[in-house]
Amino acid sequence: MNSIPNDLAVPRMNVPAVHGADDDCIELRRLHRFFGKTKAVTDISFTVRRGHVFGYIGPNGAGKTTSMRILATLDLPSYGDAFVDGFSVVNDPELVRRRLGFMPDSFGTYRDVNCKEYLDFFARAYGLVGRERTKRLDWVLNFTGTEGMAEKPIRGLSKGMKQRVCLGRALIHDPAVMILDEPAAGLDPRARIQLRKMIRELADRGKTVLISSHILTELAEMCDSVGIIEQGKLLATGSVEQIQHQRETHRELKIRVLQNTEAAGESLRSIETVSNLVVDGELLKFEFAGNIDAQAGLVAHLVNDGYAVAEVESHKKSLEDVFLQVTEGLVQ
């Protein structure tokens, strides 16, 4: 997948001027979706700012795909509403579709057409004509790294390459908002890195991206904010740092003391925020219920008491740690 050429000017479609607020381009407002007695989505509300990447995280069956399908106007909410670029998916679905590109977790292809014909079909469906359509096709093929297989039948592509073509289909009409449901599925490690860079570049160019993935380390690097959902309920939302701070009650500390390690351990055990301390040779291992400033004070306490502190290792909870802490592994 190549970066967007700076010298390639791609005209936008003749769509109405931006209707949404300056900051929020995606909004879910008290969204509910019921299937009989199953509550797939229950009272979900969040916003995504224009030009930001939002990571949607949850176990299988949590309600991610249901809420994304509602955003993509492929389903209707039982209650509540969702807005794309200021337009309601309930009241203005046609205007939403012109502003949104949706990449589902699986999609159908036409066996007897090649990549360029497939993308050209959707370009025509969105009303692109003439030179404008040609430039969009060339740009999408270049951006997704599929220009070398433009004439290749889709049936001959690997799953990873089909994912690229599907992404190209979602981009063909130059939407303001991208909804990507597990876009990294089937991609090799190098392709995932390229995908991550590409999504960040799209956001830097003003597109708003909502992406779901089970590869949480990549979401942590890619996203401006995340939402954690389980059993149809939104459990936490905000930047990765905010959620880590909200949910982090303990951090794991390892302090290496060159001598008198046992005595240093006894000194730490008297501190209320220290728990589960273990002395392992020169290492003091324990859980610490304090912020970074309190951690600095803890080290200073040892030094002031005459202990030779040689190393300090602090393990801050990752997005995976927070996900495991917030969720319970429940499904519908």
Side-chain angles (χ1 to χ4, degrees):
M1 299 179 184
N2 302 321
S3 60
I4 301 174
N6 291 325
D7 58 349
L8 183 55
V10 181
R12 289 192 60 86
M13 293 177 58
N14 294 321
V15 298
V18 173
H19 178 75
D22 290 338
D23 291 331
D24 297 333
C25 201
I26 296 175
E27 180 183 3
L28 275 66
R29 189 180 298 172
R30 305 210 65 178
L31 199 68
H32 296 71
R33 183 65 173 104
F34 305 147
F35 296 96
K37 295 182 179 180
T38 300
K39 298 180 179 179
V41 173
T42 305
D43 202 13
I44 287 184
S45 298
F46 65 79
T47 60
V48 185
R49 299 184 65 183
R50 193 176 308 279
H52 280 210
V53 180
F54 182 90
Y56 211 20
I57 307 169
N60 292 328
K64 302 187 302 297
T65 296
T66 297
S67 43
M68 285 190 287
R69 283 176 54 84
I70 290 173
L71 272 173
T73 72
L74 298 175
D75 195 8
L76 284 172
S78 302
Y79 305 99
D81 205 346
F83 299 84
V84 172
D85 209 13
F87 289 98
S88 163
V89 300
V90 175
N91 298 322
D92 304 299
E94 290 298 328
L95 294 174
V96 168
R97 291 167 193 149
R98 297 172 69 180
R99 287 165 168 77
L100 182 139
F102 179 53
M103 180 179 174
D105 57 349
S106 61
F107 68 103
T109 57
Y110 304 99
R111 291 177 51 84
D112 298 325
V113 300
N114 61 38
C115 296
K116 190 171 183 178
E117 291 169 339
Y118 179 78
L119 293 173
D120 184 64
F121 172 83
F122 286 96
R124 292 171 183 266
Y126 279 108
L128 296 172
V129 295
R131 185 170 178 267
E132 181 183 19
R133 188 175 80 246
T134 300
K135 295 191 72 171
R136 282 304 299 176
L137 282 170
D138 291 343
W139 177 83
V140 165
L141 288 168
N142 176 271
F143 184 62
T144 58
T146 54
E147 69 270 46
M149 54 189 65
E151 306 300 328
K152 187 173 182 178
I154 288 181
R155 67 174 180 271
L157 300 181
S158 66
K159 182 178 180 181
M161 295 310 299
K162 286 182 179 179
Q163 290 290 90
R164 297 190 186 197
V165 174
C166 184
L167 180 62
R169 183 188 72 179
L171 279 169
I172 196 67
H173 59 300
D174 194 19
V177 176
M178 300 289 296
I179 308 294
L180 311 179
D181 193 359
E182 297 289 342
L187 298 184
D188 58 59
R190 181 180 296 276
R192 289 204 304 268
I193 293 171
Q194 293 171 334
L195 176 68
R196 184 169 68 240
K197 292 180 179 179
M198 180 184 63
I199 291 173
R200 279 304 333 168
E201 187 165 358
L202 288 171
D204 291 341
R205 289 174 175 260
K207 294 192 185 299
T208 305
V209 182
L210 189 151
I211 176 173
S212 72
S213 176
H214 290 135
I215 308 172
L216 302 189
T217 53
E218 292 191 351
L219 286 184
E221 297 176 9
M222 184 194 317
C223 296
D224 300 290
S225 57
V226 298
I228 300 177
I229 181 176
E230 186 175 42
Q231 284 198 311
K233 297 179 180 179
L234 194 66
L235 304 182
T237 185
S239 69
V240 174
E241 292 76 15
Q242 287 171 339
I243 295 179
Q244 286 171 333
H245 178 72
Q246 293 166 3
R247 297 286 173 168
E248 184 177 16
T249 57
H250 295 80
R251 65 177 66 206
E252 297 176 0
L253 281 181
K254 295 179 182 179
I255 299 180
R256 184 184 174 202
V257 179
L258 296 182
Q259 53 188 333
N260 301 324
T261 310
E262 289 287 350
E266 290 302 317
S267 177
L268 290 182
R269 284 191 178 97
S270 65
I271 299 176
E272 185 179 352
T273 50
V274 172
S275 60
N276 300 325
L277 188 144
V278 175
V279 178
D280 182 7
E282 294 182 337
L283 283 179
L284 300 172
K285 304 176 181 179
F286 56 94
E287 294 183 4
F288 181 60
N291 58 24
I292 193 67
D293 293 329
Q295 177 183 315
L298 184 79
V299 175
H301 167 79
L302 287 174
V303 173
N304 291 336
D305 283 355
Y307 298 106
V309 176
E311 296 177 7
V312 178
E313 180 182 341
S314 174
H315 172 68
K316 185 179 181 181
K317 286 182 172 62
S318 67
L319 183 57
E320 289 181 338
D321 295 328
V322 174
F323 174 78
L324 291 174
Q325 182 182 358
V326 171
T327 61
E328 299 178 17
L330 303 175
V331 296
Q332 302 281 20

